[in-house]
Amino acid sequence: GENVEQHPSTLSVQEGDSAVIKCTYSDSASNYFPWYKQELGKRPQLIIDIRSNVGEKKDQRIAVTLNKTAKHFSLHITETQPEDSAVYFCAASETSYDKVIFGPGTSLSVIP
Amino acid sequence: GAGVSQSPSNKVTEKGKDVELRCDPISGHTALYWYRQSLGQGLEFLIYFQGNSAPDKSGLPSDRFSAERTGGSVSTLTIQRTQQEDSAVYLCASSLGQVANSPLHFGNGTRLTVT
């Protein structure tokens, strides 16, 4: 079955700097890669996703890149703000409505 | 509209007792997922449903765990003979199902403590 790895497990950046979180997956059949943000004590919420026919997708300060050959995908946050502090989870599935497997998470701290 | 609702929000039980956790998905969502999140850990996949069918039960940790979904709506996760290692937050999520790029909508979870 699918296995998703995520690095780093913790990340601390100064406000205004960029943050990058990287994930790898094992199942070449996976085609859908969402990212979820979980603030302390709250439920995870989707922030951005990418499908396998797209190499990059951007939404304001957030971007995701996908390298299907290498089975890598990454989350990039630019101009980080304190409210970006949270745990970020990458995930993979064959489609958006199949079993969704999450990575172990990255705890991001943005220092004012 | 209403989001995914889980009950109870907190449950404290004695080791060896059975517990039942309930999930009410968003109306019209055909896909329903159960995950387990231990303190400071990731989202461990348990089981998911398409309608009333569970195509993949491979994530259930042991035969003490079972789940069902009736009427394509409410789901219950049952843990028999609870153990202390079952203590965690159990998260339910639902999605539109057969729609591309439909995100998972999570409930607030049930925090289970086994004493």
Side-chain angles (χ1 to χ4, degrees), chain A residues 36 38 43 96-97 99-100, chain B residues 35 50 56 97 101 104 106:
Chain A
Y36 285 79
Q38 186 177 28
R43 67 187 83 181
S96 61
Y97 45 86
K99 179 169 71 174
V100 180
Chain B
Y35 290 90
Q50 284 290 352
D56 194 320
N101 300 341
L104 300 185
F106 283 87

Side-chain angles (χ1 to χ4, degrees), chain B residues 11-19 82-83 112-115:
Chain B
K11 177 70 177 178
V12 180
T13 190
E14 292 181 350
K15 178 182 172 182
K17 301 283 190 183
D18 297 352
V19 294
T82 51
Q83 303 295 313
L112 175 66
T113 303
V114 182
T115 61

Side-chain angles (χ1 to χ4, degrees), chain A residues 32 36 38 43-44 46 49 51 89 96-104, chain B residues 33 35 37 45 48 50 56 97-104 106-108:
Chain A
Y32 177 65
Y36 285 79
Q38 186 177 28
R43 67 187 83 181
L46 179 76
D49 56 16
R51 290 163 58 90
F89 294 99
S96 61
Y97 45 86
D98 282 326
K99 179 169 71 174
V100 180
I101 299 299
F102 286 84
Chain B
Y33 303 76
Y35 290 90
Q37 188 170 34
F45 170 81
Y48 88 108
Q50 284 290 352
D56 194 320
Q98 304 287 324
V99 174
N101 300 341
S102 173
L104 300 185
F106 283 87
N108 283 325

